[in-house]
């Protein structure tokens, strides 16, 4: 008797998702609770577990299809896996499911799978495209995703490290051969259409709504990172030994933001209709890089947390984002956002707020620049540009500048973070 595989509850107010990837193929043996498919919601990717052990039957939904909560996407057949799928059912042995004319094609497909190493490993569509594009063997690449699966970063890093990309010979039809000549010196003019993921569609929609609704403005300042860098250098080993996590820059900026938000509460507020909602707590949304794009999990009650708590939370978010195990609850809420484009080499940017929040702090790369000191001398100092994008309907220029000055003061003199000044 077959058991239905249904789309699980996706979270509050989420009624549908997009099938992003099949992790198991028809005929594969599956264990109870083993992931068999990946769903993409507006914010996170979720895995669909097998309701019981058995053999995965036919896929009832294709990759890219939209499915609702409770929809049946596959069935689990009782039995021992691939051996059963090969034809142990007496009824199925007398009634072939495929027309006889497909027998030869099946043999050709099997041969092609042998020639194509990417077909023997479960890969997402994006990863499979990269593997075939570079002509690499995915079995030789160490996967860093969930359950050891390959990510785009894994393939790109493998190629970057010097892996050769041999030309792949494939026939366009049976018996036909394609010359293995290199492309023309001018390059090719190929085009590829790829459907936007649900996450990317949601990001695009929300950012456009922010531009259409909020009166966006960005104010800049710069900060001397000397004191913070010296503090990290002096205490990083002791900090890691005691707390089991590295002392990063984000802990300093998160704590500095908490102080600044206390002094300038409108930056931590939001507009709700004709009312302004002020928060006496600080829930900081932190932009984290994930395989499918940036996500913004929330550090809740950051004003009550220690440096170690902040760094541990951010480290956990980063790991779970990479594994695809962040939940809807991790993303919900947030009163203020910090986005660190500096890790990608950004010198300066104008970040867009994350509605319904009213402001976002953008951090950028640290570089040595000449600075005129109070005594008139010129020194090379490690400087960083700060950018505060905000909703001018709620936050005035004076408040935006004051907020950035508070951040600057706390970073250039970290003692302020200890004495709440």
């Amino acid at each position: 008797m077959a058991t239905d595989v249904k789309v699980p509850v996706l979270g509050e107010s989420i009624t549908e998702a997009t099938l992003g990837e099949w992790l198991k193929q028809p005929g594969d043996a599956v264990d109870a609770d083993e992931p068999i498919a990946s769903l993409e919601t507006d914010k996170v990717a979720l895995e669909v577990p097998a309701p019981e052990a058995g053999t995965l039957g036919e896929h009832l939904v294709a990759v890219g299809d939209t499915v609702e909560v409770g929809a049946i996407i596959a069935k689990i057949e009782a039995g021992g896996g691939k051996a059963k799928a090969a034809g142990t059912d007496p009824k199925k042995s007398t009634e072939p499911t495929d027309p006889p004319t497909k027998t030869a094609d099946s043999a050709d497909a099997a041969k092609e799978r042998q020639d194509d190493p990417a077909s023997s490993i479960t890969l997402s569509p994006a990863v499979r495209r990269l593997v075939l594009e570079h002509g690499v063997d995915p079995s030789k690449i160490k996967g860093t995703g969930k359950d050891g699966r390959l990510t785009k970063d894994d393939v790109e890093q493998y190629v970057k490290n010097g892996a050769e990309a041999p030309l792949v010979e494939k026939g366009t039809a049976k018996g036909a051969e394609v010359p293995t000549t290199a492309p023309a010196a001018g390059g090719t003019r190929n085009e590829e259409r790829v459907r936007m993921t649900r996450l990317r569609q949601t990001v695009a929609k929300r950012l456009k709504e922010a531009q259409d609704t909020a009166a966006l403005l960005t104010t800049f300042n710069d900060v001397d990172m000397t004191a913070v860098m010296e503090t990290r250098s002096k205490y990083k080993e002791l900090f890691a030994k005691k707390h089991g996590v590295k002392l990063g820059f984000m802990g300093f900026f998160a704590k500095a933001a908490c102080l600044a938000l206390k002094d300038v509460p409108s930056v931590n507020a939001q507009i709700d209709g004709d009312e302004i909602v002020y928060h006496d707590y600080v829930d900081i949304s932190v932009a984290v890089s994930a395989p499918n794009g940036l996500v913004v999990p929330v550090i809740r009650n950051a004003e009550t947390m220690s440096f170690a708590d902040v760094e541990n939370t951010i480290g956990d978010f980063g790991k779970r984002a990479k594994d695809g195990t962040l939940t809807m609850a991790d993303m919900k809420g947030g009163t203020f956002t910090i986005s660190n484009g500096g890790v990608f080499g950004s010198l300066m940017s104008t970040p867009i707020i994350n509605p319904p929040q009213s402001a976002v702090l953008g951090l950028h790369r640290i570089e040595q620049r000449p600075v005129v000191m109070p005594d008139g001398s010129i020194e090379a100092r490690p400087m960083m540009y700060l950018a505060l994008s905000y909703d001018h309907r709620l936050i005035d220029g004076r408040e935006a500048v004051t907020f950035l000055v508070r951040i600057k003061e706390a970073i250039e003199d970290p003692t302020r973070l200890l004495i709440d000044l």
Side-chain angles (χ1 to χ4, degrees):
M1 180 177 179
T3 302
D4 295 336
V5 179
K6 298 182 178 181
V7 176
V9 176
L10 303 173
E12 183 180 356
S13 75
I14 305 296
T15 60
E16 62 180 23
T18 300
L19 185 69
E21 177 185 1
W22 281 106
L23 306 178
K24 293 290 185 178
Q25 301 302 316
D28 287 352
V30 297
D31 297 327
D33 297 325
E34 182 179 6
I36 61 173
S38 175
L39 299 176
E40 295 177 355
T41 68
D42 291 348
K43 294 184 178 181
V44 295
L46 302 172
E47 292 182 335
V48 181
E52 64 178 30
T55 302
L56 183 63
E58 179 185 2
H59 292 166
L60 303 180
V61 176
V63 171
D65 286 354
T66 298
V67 293
E68 297 183 350
V69 173
I72 300 174
I73 61 174
K75 293 182 180 291
I76 300 293
E77 306 284 349
K82 291 184 178 180
K84 179 179 183 293
T88 58
D89 191 324
K91 181 178 179 180
K92 290 187 178 180
S93 64
T94 58
E95 299 178 7
T97 55
D98 294 326
T101 56
K102 290 189 177 182
T103 304
D105 291 342
S106 299
D108 290 338
K111 183 180 185 303
E112 183 176 338
R113 283 195 297 270
Q114 280 186 336
D115 296 336
D116 179 9
S119 65
S120 61
I121 300 177
T122 301
L123 305 173
S124 69
V127 174
R128 181 175 295 277
R129 281 195 299 272
L130 276 180
V131 166
L132 296 178
E133 175 184 342
H134 293 290
V136 297
D137 184 353
S139 64
K140 297 180 179 179
I141 307 174
K142 183 179 179 181
T144 60
K146 186 176 178 61
D147 298 327
R149 291 201 296 271
L150 292 185
T151 66
K152 292 176 62 177
D153 289 342
D154 296 332
V155 179
E156 291 171 349
Q157 189 62 40
Y158 180 79
V159 174
K160 182 178 179 181
N161 289 341
E164 296 182 359
L167 293 172
V168 179
E169 298 182 34
K170 282 192 178 181
T172 55
K174 295 179 183 178
E177 293 184 357
V178 177
T180 58
T181 55
T188 62
R189 294 175 55 82
N190 296 330
E191 295 181 354
E192 180 182 11
R193 290 182 179 269
V194 179
R195 180 172 178 173
M196 293 175 68
T197 64
R198 179 172 290 270
L199 173 62
R200 179 53 55 186
Q201 292 179 44
T202 301
V203 168
K205 179 180 178 181
R206 286 175 61 83
L207 293 182
K208 185 57 181 173
E209 286 177 352
Q211 286 187 320
D212 293 341
T213 303
L216 291 177
L217 186 63
T218 303
T219 296
F220 298 94
N221 209 325
D222 61 0
V223 58
D224 187 341
M225 297 293 293
T226 300
V228 165
M229 294 177 70
E230 289 177 349
T231 301
R232 289 184 68 232
S233 177
K234 183 176 181 179
Y235 295 110
K236 62 181 181 181
E237 293 184 3
L238 289 175
F239 188 89
K241 184 177 180 180
K242 181 175 181 179
H243 300 290
V245 65
K246 293 181 180 179
L247 177 60
F249 291 120
M250 189 60 75
F252 289 92
F253 280 101
K255 299 304 293 181
C258 291
L259 289 181
L261 292 171
K262 183 187 297 184
D263 288 346
V264 191
S266 60
V267 181
N268 197 43
Q270 66 185 57
I271 294 177
D272 185 8
D274 295 331
E275 298 177 333
I276 299 175
V277 181
Y278 291 94
H279 306 98
D280 66 353
Y281 54 88
V282 179
D283 287 352
I284 299 180
S285 301
V286 181
V288 176
S289 181
N292 292 331
L294 290 177
V295 292
V296 281
V298 180
I299 305 174
R300 305 193 189 280
N301 294 111
E303 78 282 2
T304 66
M305 299 174 71
S306 67
F307 277 80
D309 291 334
V310 171
E311 295 294 352
N312 269 308
T313 301
I314 294 173
D316 178 61
F317 284 156
K319 181 178 183 300
R320 291 165 59 199
K322 191 173 184 179
D323 293 343
T325 56
L326 286 174
T327 66
M328 299 297 297
D330 294 323
M331 315 272 214
K332 185 179 178 181
T335 61
F336 179 74
T337 294
I338 299 179
S339 177
N340 186 7
V343 298
F344 304 109
S346 171
L347 174 64
M348 187 180 293
S349 68
T350 56
I352 299 178
I353 63 174
N354 179 23
Q357 298 174 22
S358 299
V360 51
L361 177 66
L363 309 182
H364 302 92
R365 75 171 186 250
I366 302 170
E367 64 177 8
Q368 295 286 329
R369 291 201 294 271
V371 176
V372 179
M373 306 304 292
D375 62 1
S377 62
I378 298 177
E379 295 184 11
R381 310 285 283 190
M383 304 298 293
M384 175 195 288
Y385 286 119
L386 304 178
L388 181 73
S389 291
Y390 55 97
D391 189 345
H392 209 351
R393 297 177 302 164
L394 173 59
I395 304 168
D396 295 330
R398 179 188 63 181
E399 295 170 313
V401 172
T402 301
F403 177 86
L404 282 179
V405 169
R406 294 290 181 271
I407 296 287
K408 178 181 175 70
E409 291 173 343
I411 295 300
E412 292 185 345
D413 183 8
T415 304
R416 288 174 173 265
L417 301 176
L418 300 178
I419 62 178
D420 194 14
L421 183 61

